[in-house]
Amino acid sequence: MVYLNGNFIKKNQASVSVMDRGFLFGDGVYEVIPVYQGKLFRLTAHLKRLQNSLDAIKIPSPHSNNEWLEILNQLLGYSQPLNQSLYLQITRGSDTQRRHSFEALTPTVYIESSPLIPKTKQALKQGFSAITQTDIRWSRCDIKATSLLANVLYSQNAKENQVEEIILHRNDIVTEGATSNVFIIKNKTLFTHPSGAHILSGITRDLALESALACKLPINESVFSVDELLNADEVWISSSTREIMPITQIDNQLINHGKIGTYWECVYNHYQQLKND
Ligand code: PDD
Protein backbone atom coordinates (compact mmCIF):
# COMPACT_ATOMS: atom_id res chain seq x y z
CA MET A 1 0.00 0.00 0.00
CA VAL A 2 1.07 3.57 -0.66
CA TYR A 3 -0.37 6.96 0.27
CA LEU A 4 -1.31 9.34 -2.52
CA ASN A 5 -3.17 12.61 -1.95
CA GLY A 6 -5.35 11.43 0.91
CA ASN A 7 -5.83 7.81 -0.18
CA PHE A 8 -4.20 4.53 0.80
CA ILE A 9 -4.06 2.51 -2.40
CA LYS A 10 -2.12 -0.29 -4.06
CA LYS A 11 1.17 0.88 -5.52
CA ASN A 12 0.31 -0.36 -9.01
CA GLN A 13 -2.86 1.76 -8.90
CA ALA A 14 -1.06 4.97 -7.89
CA SER A 15 -0.51 7.48 -10.68
CA VAL A 16 -0.08 11.23 -11.10
CA SER A 17 -0.75 13.61 -13.96
CA VAL A 18 1.83 14.21 -16.71
CA MET A 19 1.31 17.90 -15.81
CA ASP A 20 2.64 17.31 -12.30
CA ARG A 21 5.57 19.65 -11.82
CA GLY A 22 7.45 16.87 -10.04
CA PHE A 23 7.40 14.98 -13.35
CA LEU A 24 8.03 18.01 -15.58
CA PHE A 25 10.65 19.87 -13.52
CA GLY A 26 11.64 17.77 -10.51
CA ASP A 27 9.84 20.56 -8.67
CA GLY A 28 9.45 18.99 -5.26
CA VAL A 29 11.07 17.92 -2.02
CA TYR A 30 11.31 14.66 -0.10
CA GLU A 31 12.27 12.95 3.13
CA VAL A 32 13.46 9.47 4.00
CA ILE A 33 12.46 8.46 7.53
CA PRO A 34 13.64 5.23 9.14
CA VAL A 35 11.27 3.17 11.27
CA TYR A 36 12.65 0.75 13.86
CA GLN A 37 10.41 -1.75 15.63
CA GLY A 38 7.40 0.07 14.19
CA LYS A 39 8.52 3.41 15.70
CA LEU A 40 9.30 6.47 13.58
CA PHE A 41 12.92 7.39 14.31
CA ARG A 42 13.60 11.09 14.92
CA LEU A 43 10.33 12.11 13.27
CA THR A 44 10.43 15.67 14.66
CA ALA A 45 13.84 16.33 13.11
CA HIS A 46 12.72 14.90 9.75
CA LEU A 47 9.51 16.97 9.75
CA LYS A 48 11.48 20.09 10.62
CA ARG A 49 13.85 19.51 7.71
CA LEU A 50 10.86 18.81 5.44
CA GLN A 51 9.31 22.14 6.48
CA ASN A 52 12.62 23.92 5.77
CA SER A 53 12.76 22.34 2.30
CA LEU A 54 9.13 23.31 1.58
CA ASP A 55 9.70 26.87 2.77
CA ALA A 56 12.86 27.19 0.67
CA ILE A 57 10.97 26.39 -2.55
CA LYS A 58 7.71 28.10 -1.54
CA ILE A 59 5.43 25.07 -1.39
CA PRO A 60 2.77 25.51 1.30
CA SER A 61 2.90 22.67 3.81
CA PRO A 62 0.01 20.31 3.02
CA HIS A 63 -0.20 18.90 6.58
CA SER A 64 0.44 19.75 10.20
CA ASN A 65 2.90 17.60 12.19
CA ASN A 66 -0.01 15.77 13.85
CA GLU A 67 -1.57 15.01 10.48
CA TRP A 68 1.76 13.68 9.15
CA LEU A 69 2.09 11.48 12.22
CA GLU A 70 -1.37 10.06 11.66
CA ILE A 71 -0.82 9.43 7.93
CA LEU A 72 2.59 7.83 8.46
CA ASN A 73 1.37 5.57 11.25
CA GLN A 74 -1.65 4.57 9.19
CA LEU A 75 0.62 3.62 6.29
CA LEU A 76 2.90 1.70 8.64
CA GLY A 77 -0.16 -0.26 9.73
CA TYR A 78 -0.14 -1.86 6.26
CA SER A 79 3.62 -2.57 6.36
CA GLN A 80 5.59 -5.64 7.30
CA PRO A 81 8.22 -6.08 8.79
CA LEU A 82 8.69 -3.66 11.71
CA ASN A 83 11.81 -1.97 10.31
CA GLN A 84 10.85 0.27 7.42
CA SER A 85 12.13 3.17 5.38
CA LEU A 86 9.45 5.75 4.61
CA TYR A 87 9.83 7.81 1.45
CA LEU A 88 7.73 10.98 1.52
CA GLN A 89 7.56 13.23 -1.52
CA ILE A 90 5.73 16.51 -2.01
CA THR A 91 5.68 18.16 -5.41
CA ARG A 92 4.27 21.57 -6.23
CA GLY A 93 1.32 19.89 -7.95
CA SER A 94 -0.22 19.82 -11.43
CA ASP A 95 -0.58 22.86 -13.65
CA THR A 96 -2.63 23.25 -16.85
CA GLN A 97 0.40 23.98 -19.02
CA ARG A 98 4.17 23.56 -18.82
CA ARG A 99 5.78 26.77 -17.68
CA HIS A 100 8.79 27.32 -15.43
CA SER A 101 7.13 29.88 -13.16
CA PHE A 102 4.29 28.74 -10.95
CA GLU A 103 0.87 29.68 -9.58
CA ALA A 104 -0.62 28.49 -6.29
CA LEU A 105 -1.32 24.79 -6.87
CA THR A 106 -2.44 21.86 -4.74
CA PRO A 107 0.71 19.95 -3.77
CA THR A 108 0.94 16.26 -4.66
CA VAL A 109 1.78 14.08 -1.65
CA TYR A 110 3.16 10.59 -2.15
CA ILE A 111 4.44 8.25 0.57
CA GLU A 112 5.70 4.71 0.29
CA SER A 113 7.22 2.37 2.80
CA SER A 114 9.77 -0.34 2.11
CA PRO A 115 11.59 -2.80 4.36
CA LEU A 116 14.73 -1.38 5.97
CA ILE A 117 17.47 -3.93 6.46
CA PRO A 118 20.55 -2.18 7.88
CA LYS A 119 23.85 -4.00 7.42
CA THR A 120 24.92 -6.03 10.44
CA LYS A 121 27.88 -4.92 12.52
CA GLN A 122 29.79 -7.90 11.18
CA ALA A 123 29.11 -6.83 7.59
CA LEU A 124 30.03 -3.21 8.33
CA LYS A 125 33.32 -4.33 9.89
CA GLN A 126 34.48 -5.46 6.45
CA GLY A 127 34.90 -1.78 5.54
CA PHE A 128 33.78 -0.09 2.31
CA SER A 129 35.35 1.68 -0.65
CA ALA A 130 34.70 5.13 -2.08
CA ILE A 131 36.07 7.33 -4.82
CA THR A 132 36.34 11.11 -4.89
CA GLN A 133 34.83 13.34 -7.56
CA THR A 134 34.25 17.04 -8.13
CA ASP A 135 30.99 18.30 -6.62
CA ILE A 136 29.08 19.63 -9.63
CA ARG A 137 25.80 20.22 -7.77
CA TRP A 138 24.06 23.56 -7.26
CA SER A 139 24.54 25.77 -4.19
CA ARG A 140 21.34 24.84 -2.34
CA CYS A 141 22.21 21.29 -1.34
CA ASP A 142 20.55 21.98 2.03
CA ILE A 143 17.17 21.64 0.28
CA LYS A 144 16.17 17.97 0.06
CA ALA A 145 14.94 18.43 -3.50
CA THR A 146 13.68 15.64 -5.75
CA SER A 147 15.71 17.07 -8.65
CA LEU A 148 18.67 14.76 -8.07
CA LEU A 149 20.25 14.41 -11.50
CA ALA A 150 23.84 14.93 -10.28
CA ASN A 151 23.32 12.50 -7.40
CA VAL A 152 21.78 9.94 -9.79
CA LEU A 153 24.83 10.14 -12.07
CA TYR A 154 27.22 9.84 -9.11
CA SER A 155 25.36 6.82 -7.77
CA GLN A 156 25.45 5.14 -11.17
CA ASN A 157 29.17 5.87 -11.26
CA ALA A 158 29.58 4.28 -7.82
CA LYS A 159 27.74 1.20 -9.08
CA GLU A 160 29.88 0.98 -12.23
CA ASN A 161 33.06 1.35 -10.16
CA GLN A 162 31.79 -1.13 -7.56
CA VAL A 163 32.29 1.29 -4.69
CA GLU A 164 29.87 2.17 -1.88
CA GLU A 165 29.91 5.93 -2.32
CA ILE A 166 31.24 8.89 -4.28
CA ILE A 167 32.80 11.47 -1.95
CA LEU A 168 32.39 14.97 -3.35
CA HIS A 169 34.73 17.95 -3.17
CA ARG A 170 34.30 21.60 -4.10
CA ASN A 171 37.55 23.56 -4.58
CA ASP A 172 39.42 20.71 -2.87
CA ILE A 173 37.11 20.88 0.19
CA VAL A 174 35.20 17.67 0.95
CA THR A 175 31.50 18.47 1.10
CA GLU A 176 29.60 15.17 1.49
CA GLY A 177 28.81 11.91 -0.26
CA ALA A 178 26.43 11.62 -3.22
CA THR A 179 23.81 10.23 -0.81
CA SER A 180 25.44 10.62 2.62
CA ASN A 181 27.42 12.88 4.95
CA VAL A 182 31.16 12.35 5.41
CA PHE A 183 33.29 12.38 8.57
CA ILE A 184 37.00 11.99 9.23
CA ILE A 185 38.94 11.43 12.42
CA LYS A 186 42.35 13.03 12.76
CA ASN A 187 44.31 13.52 15.96
CA LYS A 188 41.45 12.03 17.98
CA THR A 189 39.00 14.67 16.70
CA LEU A 190 35.97 14.16 14.47
CA PHE A 191 35.66 16.57 11.53
CA THR A 192 32.67 17.04 9.27
CA HIS A 193 31.66 19.78 6.83
CA PRO A 194 29.59 22.44 8.63
CA SER A 195 25.84 22.66 7.91
CA GLY A 196 24.98 25.18 5.21
CA ALA A 197 24.11 25.42 1.54
CA HIS A 198 26.84 23.02 0.34
CA ILE A 199 25.58 19.92 2.14
CA LEU A 200 22.34 18.24 3.08
CA SER A 201 22.57 18.30 6.84
CA GLY A 202 21.67 14.70 7.65
CA ILE A 203 19.57 13.66 10.61
CA THR A 204 22.01 10.75 10.94
CA ARG A 205 24.85 13.29 10.86
CA ASP A 206 23.40 14.88 14.01
CA LEU A 207 23.06 11.46 15.63
CA ALA A 208 26.63 10.55 14.67
CA LEU A 209 27.83 13.77 16.34
CA GLU A 210 25.71 13.01 19.41
CA SER A 211 27.20 9.50 19.51
CA ALA A 212 30.74 10.83 19.06
CA LEU A 213 30.32 13.03 22.13
CA ALA A 214 29.04 10.02 24.09
CA CYS A 215 32.25 8.24 23.00
CA LYS A 216 34.32 11.17 24.30
CA LEU A 217 35.39 12.03 20.78
CA PRO A 218 35.69 15.82 20.37
CA ILE A 219 33.84 17.17 17.32
CA ASN A 220 34.88 19.95 15.01
CA GLU A 221 32.34 21.00 12.39
CA SER A 222 34.86 22.53 10.02
CA VAL A 223 36.03 21.80 6.50
CA PHE A 224 38.81 19.43 5.47
CA SER A 225 40.62 18.84 2.18
CA VAL A 226 40.76 15.77 -0.07
CA ASP A 227 44.34 15.23 1.11
CA GLU A 228 43.18 15.27 4.74
CA LEU A 229 40.45 12.80 3.82
CA LEU A 230 42.97 10.41 2.27
CA ASN A 231 45.31 10.71 5.27
CA ALA A 232 42.62 10.44 7.94
CA ASP A 233 42.74 7.88 10.76
CA GLU A 234 39.11 6.96 10.16
CA VAL A 235 36.51 7.88 7.53
CA TRP A 236 32.76 7.30 7.94
CA ILE A 237 29.68 8.08 5.91
CA SER A 238 26.17 8.39 7.35
CA SER A 239 22.58 8.32 6.15
CA SER A 240 19.20 7.19 7.42
CA THR A 241 19.32 3.95 5.46
CA ARG A 242 23.05 3.17 5.82
CA GLU A 243 23.37 4.41 9.43
CA ILE A 244 27.11 4.97 10.13
CA MET A 245 29.41 3.12 7.79
CA PRO A 246 33.22 2.86 7.89
CA ILE A 247 35.13 3.64 4.68
CA THR A 248 38.50 1.92 4.53
CA GLN A 249 39.57 2.57 0.96
CA ILE A 250 39.34 5.77 -1.10
CA ASP A 251 40.66 6.17 -4.65
CA ASN A 252 42.50 2.85 -4.24
CA GLN A 253 44.29 4.17 -1.15
CA LEU A 254 43.81 2.40 2.18
CA ILE A 255 42.59 4.39 5.19
CA ASN A 256 44.25 3.37 8.47
CA HIS A 257 45.91 0.43 6.61
CA GLY A 258 42.40 -0.80 5.74
CA LYS A 259 41.47 -1.40 9.38
CA ILE A 260 38.21 -0.35 11.06
CA GLY A 261 38.79 2.32 13.72
CA THR A 262 37.97 1.93 17.38
CA TYR A 263 35.94 5.15 17.44
CA TRP A 264 33.68 3.82 14.72
CA GLU A 265 32.83 0.81 16.86
CA CYS A 266 31.93 2.95 19.88
CA VAL A 267 29.83 5.33 17.77
CA TYR A 268 28.12 2.42 16.02
CA ASN A 269 27.20 0.86 19.38
CA HIS A 270 25.86 4.15 20.71
CA TYR A 271 23.79 4.71 17.56
CA GLN A 272 22.20 1.27 18.00
CA GLN A 273 21.22 2.29 21.54
CA LEU A 274 19.63 5.51 20.26
CA LYS A 275 17.45 3.39 17.96
CA ASN A 276 16.03 1.58 20.98
CA ASP A 277 15.28 4.71 23.04
N1 PDD B 1 19.82 10.57 1.35
N2 PDD B 1 23.52 14.01 1.99
C1 PDD B 1 22.86 13.61 0.89
C2 PDD B 1 23.23 14.22 -0.42
C3 PDD B 1 21.85 12.65 0.99
O1 PDD B 1 21.16 12.28 -0.10
C4 PDD B 1 21.55 12.07 2.27
C5 PDD B 1 20.48 11.05 2.46
C6 PDD B 1 22.28 12.52 3.38
C7 PDD B 1 22.03 11.98 4.76
O2 PDD B 1 20.81 12.45 5.31
P1 PDD B 1 20.06 11.61 6.42
O3 PDD B 1 21.06 11.25 7.47
O4 PDD B 1 19.04 12.55 6.97
O5 PDD B 1 19.47 10.41 5.76
C8 PDD B 1 23.25 13.50 3.21
C9 PDD B 1 18.65 9.74 1.45
C10 PDD B 1 18.80 8.55 2.31
C11 PDD B 1 18.13 9.45 0.06
O6 PDD B 1 18.31 10.31 -0.80
O7 PDD B 1 17.54 8.42 -0.16
Side-chain angles (χ1 to χ4, degrees):
M1 292 296 258
V2 299
Y3 174 90
L4 182 65
N5 298 329
N7 301 306
F8 294 92
I9 50 177
K10 286 200 174 132
K11 196 172 185 172
N12 62 9
Q13 283 165 4
S15 62
V16 293
S17 163
V18 289
M19 292 312 292
D20 194 284
R21 293 181 60 95
F23 175 66
L24 291 173
F25 296 109
D27 187 357
V29 298
Y30 74 106
E31 271 299 321
V32 176
I33 309 172
V35 175
Y36 295 112
Q37 296 307 313
K39 249 181 67 187
L40 291 147
F41 188 49
R42 301 294 158 137
L43 178 67
T44 311
H46 281 282
L47 290 181
K48 185 162 182 269
R49 185 172 65 183
L50 178 65
Q51 188 61 53
N52 290 343
S53 297
L54 289 167
D55 290 346
I57 69 164
K58 299 182 176 157
I59 293 182
S61 182
H63 295 294
S64 67
N65 280 5
N66 279 341
E67 286 168 350
W68 283 127
L69 180 64
E70 202 170 307
I71 294 166
L72 295 176
N73 275 328
Q74 232 177 308
L75 183 62
L76 286 175
Y78 296 108
S79 313
Q80 290 289 336
L82 290 173
N83 292 351
Q84 294 280 322
S85 170
L86 285 171
Y87 175 80
L88 192 170
Q89 167 172 319
I90 302 165
T91 74
R92 198 176 302 281
S94 289
D95 208 339
T96 49
Q97 54 171 286
R98 181 187 177 274
R99 56 188 151 199
H100 288 70
S101 63
F102 52 86
E103 310 285 325
L105 298 168
T106 305
T108 303
V109 180
Y110 173 68
I111 313 172
E112 66 170 35
S113 187
S114 42
L116 174 63
I117 309 164
K119 287 195 162 53
T120 61
K121 188 173 183 183
Q122 214 45 41
L124 289 169
K125 277 181 143 184
Q126 306 301 306
F128 294 85
S129 306
I131 52 179
T132 58
Q133 284 185 2
T134 311
D135 194 342
I136 58 162
R137 299 172 305 161
W138 70 333
S139 294
R140 286 308 306 273
C141 298
D142 54 319
I143 304 171
K144 205 162 167 59
T146 55
S147 33
L148 286 170
L149 199 44
N151 311 61
V152 164
L153 295 176
Y154 286 131
S155 292
Q156 184 61 18
N157 213 266
K159 187 171 141 191
E160 283 164 10
N161 283 282
Q162 295 178 304
V163 294
E164 179 66 27
E165 182 61 302
I166 308 287
I167 296 181
L168 307 174
H169 54 88
R170 217 181 260 260
N171 302 322
D172 200 43
I173 294 297
V174 174
T175 49
E176 61 179 336
T179 58
S180 63
N181 291 114
V182 178
F183 305 79
I184 63 166
I185 295 183
K186 196 68 192 174
N187 301 328
K188 297 187 172 20
T189 302
L190 184 68
F191 293 84
T192 192
H193 194 289
S195 293
H198 285 174
I199 67 162
L200 179 80
S201 198
I203 308 304
T204 323
R205 174 185 178 278
D206 287 346
L207 296 170
L209 294 178
E210 191 181 320
S211 302
L213 286 180
C215 291
K216 309 240 173 324
L217 173 62
I219 56 180
N220 189 343
E221 292 181 65
S222 62
V223 299
F224 53 89
S225 65
V226 174
D227 205 46
E228 286 170 310
L229 171 80
L230 296 174
N231 290 296
D233 297 330
E234 294 187 30
V235 176
W236 314 332
I237 59 170
S238 75
S239 80
S240 292
T241 44
R242 285 187 178 107
E243 303 187 342
I244 304 167
M245 190 178 248
I247 300 293
T248 46
Q249 190 174 330
I250 304 176
D251 294 346
N252 291 322
Q253 209 168 302
L254 292 179
I255 306 297
N256 187 32
H257 308 288
K259 287 203 258 25
I260 302 297
T262 47
Y263 282 116
W264 173 78
E265 184 141 12
C266 181
V267 164
Y268 172 86
N269 289 340
H270 190 266
Y271 189 84
Q272 299 309 310
Q273 274 176 32
L274 291 176
K275 282 161 57 176
N276 297 327
D277 283 353

